Amino acid sequence: MGNGIDQAALTERPFFFCGIGGSGMLPLAQILRGMGCEVAGSDRSYDQGRTATKFAWLADNGFTLHPQDGSGLTSSDQVLVASAAVEDTVPDAARARELGCERFTRAEVLASLFNDAGYSIAVGGTSGKSTVTGMIGTILADVEHDPTIMNGAVMKNFISEDNPFASARVGRPEIFVSEVDESDGSIALYQPTIGVLLNVSLDHKSLEELRGLFRDYLSVSGCGVVNFDNEEARLLGQASVTEHGRQMISFGVENRDADITVKPGSIVEGAFNVSAVVIDNRALEECELTVPMPGLHNLSNALAAIGAACAAGIGIERACEALAEFKGLARRFDVIGTSGSDITVIDDFGHNPEKCAATLRTLKATKGRVIAFFQPHGYGPLQQMGNELAETFARELGNDDVTIMCDPVYYGGTVDRSEGTERIIKLIEEFGSTAEHIPAREDCGKRMQEIAQPGDRIVIMGARDDTLTNFAKAVFDGLE
């Protein structure tokens, strides 16, 4: 296998995941376990008693859990899987080094499985990856291709009583669908049969760095599926055809010259869905599509999934039929409920400027005031994109809307914490809008319950914190 991992390591040697409950680690652990591998792990959240239901499910389903104190590593045969961000002083990492265990990142293990598949579909871009991965997986499963799917979010179509944490689907290993991450540069490890590029915009890296990563990604993809509504993505897609002779299928909601697009005047936006007539300009075919998720960005996501399906030999009619049954993903505009006083609470993964803008625009497309709560997902990301986040909230929300932010997520480590949420609040004010900084998240919840009025939509936004869903439910319960 590629990336220094051979087949024996995956089939015979035990794996130990440092941070096994994480959104990226859990699905990979599920896939390895589904392949028959022995999988154990630790997690700070497990030690702290957070998201106990998830860890109880892991323990009940053959995953051996240990405190994150190094005690779970007992043999040099074990393979440590840990994020590159895990410092050498973390007890699991230190113990693995003492024993001489091989250590790989999540991406290295995933890329080895992915690149070994006979047919692989990767989904890249700074926004929408998880949703499109779930959509493509739903289409492939619906046509009985039995794919293995690696996602960073729970896919509701694949939730069952046996697996409520379906961020992975274990199917045929030779058909593999996965989102691929540019934030840590690991996208460079993947060599997909079909490479989807959704968008290129500021996130964890500069635009120049992102251009290089996505340019290389498309250059090794057998066929690119590229968003022509995003100029950066379009230019990279066209260059991959010109410079590397790669095949490409383009898609776009606004760019009507794209291969996969929509019929003018056919778009209908609802509060909880969006519909349009999809056109395949290559085959001159049309098909009606209703996506059970709101927002033009989700219509674009659906076109991306249809484009990938076309690249895999599945027609637009069959793809549209499957997407009509797409149930969405946890924490992607996930409606917790609507109270008796007509106040709706929504749980959402928005955490970078583009994701937050898409969610806020979707909310503003229908009537009602928006109360937007945002929990920054770290001090580092806040420093990287604080200006753009502040501009997004100031631009997308009106004078009657309310923005409330708590302090950033912090689980330890050496990150610079000299600048926090106060900086975003000040920037929002400089952009001519208002926002409230309430340091403790629980106090933010109380504030939202106090000011909520009939017809309001409360959206809970943030990433890298599984407890945000529980927080959203608690806010809703307080309204009731």
Side-chain angles (χ1 to χ4, degrees):
M1 304 191 75
N3 309 317
I5 306 175
D6 59 27
Q7 187 67 40
L10 293 180
T11 57
E12 298 175 9
R13 296 172 61 188
F15 280 83
F16 189 93
F17 280 70
C18 180
I20 194 169
S23 61
M25 291 292 195
L26 177 58
L28 181 58
Q30 288 178 304
I31 290 171
L32 287 171
R33 178 69 182 159
M35 294 173 58
C37 298
E38 180 183 336
V39 182
S42 66
D43 200 290
R44 281 184 298 197
S45 293
Y46 174 65
D47 293 347
Q48 296 164 3
R50 293 186 290 124
T51 58
T53 302
K54 176 168 62 177
F55 292 109
W57 178 85
L58 282 167
D60 290 341
N61 283 271
F63 299 87
T64 305
L65 301 179
H66 297 272
Q68 200 169 87
D69 59 5
S71 61
L73 289 144
T74 58
S75 168
S76 60
D77 286 339
Q78 289 173 283
V79 176
L80 176 66
V81 183
S83 163
V86 171
E87 299 169 348
D88 291 340
T89 54
V90 172
D92 287 341
R95 181 58 176 160
R97 192 170 60 254
E98 290 174 7
L99 291 171
C101 299
E102 284 192 277
R103 173 176 172 173
F104 297 105
T105 65
R106 178 198 66 85
E108 286 172 332
V109 177
L110 173 59
S112 290
L113 295 172
F114 182 89
N115 292 338
D116 265 14
Y119 205 90
S120 56
I121 302 177
V123 183
T126 43
S127 296
K129 293 188 291 292
S130 296
T131 298
V132 175
T133 299
M135 287 178 166
I136 294 171
T138 297
I139 295 170
L140 293 181
D142 192 66
V143 299
E144 300 183 352
H145 284 356
D146 191 22
T148 289
I149 309 168
M150 166 77 188
N151 208 330
V154 172
M155 299 172 285
K156 294 182 180 179
N157 285 75
F158 303 113
I159 289 176
S160 66
E161 189 173 329
D162 294 334
N163 184 11
F165 303 101
S167 49
R169 180 187 189 274
V170 181
R172 296 165 62 194
E174 61 268 25
I175 300 179
F176 209 116
V177 184
S178 179
E179 62 173 297
V180 293
D181 192 7
E182 81 290 337
S183 66
D184 59 359
S186 63
I187 191 173
L189 299 173
Y190 301 87
Q191 299 171 359
T193 308
I194 300 169
V196 181
L197 179 55
L198 302 174
N199 38 55
V200 182
S201 60
L202 186 69
D203 195 341
H204 299 275
K205 292 184 179 295
S206 69
L207 275 176
E208 192 55 42
E209 289 177 291
L210 291 172
R211 289 183 189 117
L213 286 168
F214 289 127
R215 183 184 301 114
D216 293 344
Y217 165 67
L218 289 177
S219 74
V220 299
S221 298
C223 177
V225 177
V226 180
N227 183 5
F228 268 32
D229 286 342
N230 182 269
E231 184 178 4
E232 293 279 354
R234 178 179 58 79
L235 292 173
L236 291 173
Q238 291 170 335
S240 74
V241 174
T242 303
E243 298 172 12
H244 303 285
R246 295 299 184 187
Q247 294 180 315
M248 181 178 66
I249 294 176
S250 59
F251 67 91
V253 174
E254 298 172 359
N255 191 315
R256 300 293 164 76
D257 293 327
D259 296 323
I260 309 297
T261 185
V262 296
K263 190 173 183 177
S266 68
I267 299 172
V268 178
E269 288 193 76
F272 301 108
N273 58 43
V274 61
S275 63
V277 175
V278 177
I279 299 174
D280 184 342
N281 278 322
R282 302 164 308 152
L284 301 179
E285 294 179 357
E286 294 185 3
C287 183
E288 292 187 2
L289 168 70
T290 297
V291 184
M293 300 175 70
L296 292 177
H297 64 293
N298 279 316
L299 178 58
S300 179
N301 288 337
L303 295 186
I306 292 168
C310 288
I314 302 166
I316 65 167
E317 184 174 357
R318 195 70 185 84
C320 288
E321 288 175 0
L323 288 177
E325 303 301 321
F326 183 62
K327 298 176 182 177
L329 284 79
R331 302 217 64 237
R332 270 52 173 192
F333 209 91
D334 198 354
V335 177
I336 300 298
T338 300
S339 71
S341 54
D342 193 30
I343 300 168
T344 300
V345 177
I346 297 159
D347 187 23
D348 191 77
F349 189 65
H351 64 280
N352 67 26
E354 188 162 349
K355 287 185 174 72
C356 291
T359 296
L360 296 175
R361 283 174 194 161
T362 299
L363 287 165
K364 294 299 291 182
T366 53
K367 292 182 179 180
R369 186 176 69 155
V370 175
I371 300 175
F373 166 81
F374 182 71
Q375 176 178 277
H377 62 288
Y379 285 88
L382 205 57
Q383 293 168 10
Q384 172 75 21
M385 52 186 160
N387 285 55
E388 291 76 11
L389 278 167
E391 183 179 6
T392 296
F393 279 90
R395 180 185 67 242
E396 301 297 339
L397 295 179
N399 293 332
D400 293 336
D401 301 318
V402 181
T403 300
I404 298 175
M405 299 188 184
C406 66
D407 284 341
V409 170
Y410 176 67
Y411 296 129
T414 58
V415 66
D416 178 11
R417 292 187 288 154
S418 59
E419 288 188 338
T421 301
E422 300 91 338
R423 175 170 169 259
I424 290 192
I425 300 299
K426 183 178 179 181
L427 286 168
I428 290 175
E429 292 172 347
E430 289 176 0
F431 283 118
S433 192
T434 58
E436 299 180 25
H437 172 220
I438 303 175
R441 190 172 76 181
E442 291 72 18
D443 292 336
C444 291
K446 293 174 184 176
R447 174 64 174 158
M448 287 186 283
Q449 290 164 347
E450 288 171 0
I451 65 175
Q453 303 169 3
D456 285 353
R457 281 80 52 77
I458 298 174
V459 59
I460 306 300
M461 307 172 77
R464 295 183 185 172
D465 184 352
D466 288 343
T467 66
L468 279 167
T469 296
N470 292 334
F471 173 64
K473 291 177 180 175
V475 171
F476 178 73
D477 290 343
L479 295 171
E480 291 289 273

